Amino acid sequence: MKTPCLETSRLYLRPLQVEDALQIQRIFPQWEIVRHLAAGFPWPFPDDGASRYVNTVALPASERGTAWFWTLRRKENPSVMIGLICLSDEPDNNRGFWLVPEWRRKGYMTEACNVVTGFWFNTLKREVLRAPKAHINDASRKISENMGMRLIQTGKQRYTEGELDSELWEITREEWNSVSLPPVP
């Protein structure tokens, strides 16, 4: 299934496009964004890093139907990207996201996670969603907790910041469809 346009009360979630690499290149290479990402992301981020990622990783996975990528844009200013969220058929790594620091703590990522998780379970008909994260990434953990996910595994993993304690969170389709979602601003 192709990545559809989605929206929340305050956001447009638009499928990732080739031209989005320009904005990603400008906003992504910030330590506060990359520090808790899996170690596979190059750091320091190269001048063509966004273009390479969009064109050789993200869009090919979308075309194969194994991943779905959305840019996050506030309805107040839809030409400006504030983050990215993705879903993937990769085992134990089904949802990932990042948000520009100035837009954190405003509920935007909770909104985005709610709508893409609903897509995962009720459109794609997947049975379980798993999301890994660095233990010290409190904001990401709070989103998982508020969405009714449960911690199922701990260990160590390499992140851009180095080797850190890591967690794996999970929720099933049945649990998702029975949970009362947190209110969004």
Side-chain angles (χ1 to χ4, degrees), residues 6-78:
L6 300 173
E7 69 179 89
T8 70
S9 62
R10 301 182 301 159
L11 294 173
Y12 292 118
L13 283 76
R14 293 190 180 154
L16 183 67
Q17 304 291 317
V18 170
E19 57 270 15
D20 294 327
L22 293 172
Q23 280 196 66
I24 292 170
Q25 189 66 42
R26 281 196 312 271
I27 63 176
F28 178 76
Q30 299 180 54
W31 184 245
E32 284 306 307
I33 292 175
V34 303
R35 65 187 285 211
H36 296 141
L37 295 180
F41 283 91
W43 188 256
F45 201 61
D47 292 341
D48 65 344
S51 178
R52 277 195 284 150
Y53 178 75
V54 168
N55 293 303
T56 66
V57 176
L59 292 180
S62 292
E63 290 169 15
R64 287 190 306 272
T66 60
W68 301 262
F69 293 82
W70 292 270
T71 62
L72 306 181
R73 298 159 185 275
R74 293 179 322 119
K75 287 184 174 180
E76 295 169 359
N77 192 0

Side-chain angles (χ1 to χ4, degrees), residues 115-172:
V115 73
V116 302
T117 301
F119 175 79
W120 178 258
F121 286 125
N122 298 318
T123 301
L124 297 175
K125 304 295 186 195
R126 300 305 196 266
E127 291 298 321
V128 66
L129 182 135
R130 290 185 172 167
K133 58 193 81 241
H135 172 75
I136 62 174
N137 191 343
D138 293 330
S140 182
R141 186 174 347 97
K142 185 175 180 179
I143 288 172
S144 293
E145 289 171 348
N146 288 341
M147 296 182 84
M149 297 180 82
R150 68 188 171 290
L151 178 63
I152 63 165
Q153 184 179 330
T154 60
K156 296 277 189 186
Q157 183 176 326
R158 299 255 337 129
Y159 294 88
T160 305
E161 186 174 325
E163 186 174 80
L164 300 172
D165 290 332
S166 184
E167 301 174 344
L168 183 61
W169 290 74
E170 175 184 276
I171 190 167
T172 66

Side-chain angles (χ1 to χ4, degrees), residues 2-3 26 52 55 60-61 105 113 143 176:
K2 291 188 73 113
T3 305
R26 281 196 312 271
R52 277 195 284 150
N55 293 303
R105 294 179 181 82
C113 284
I143 288 172
W176 172 257

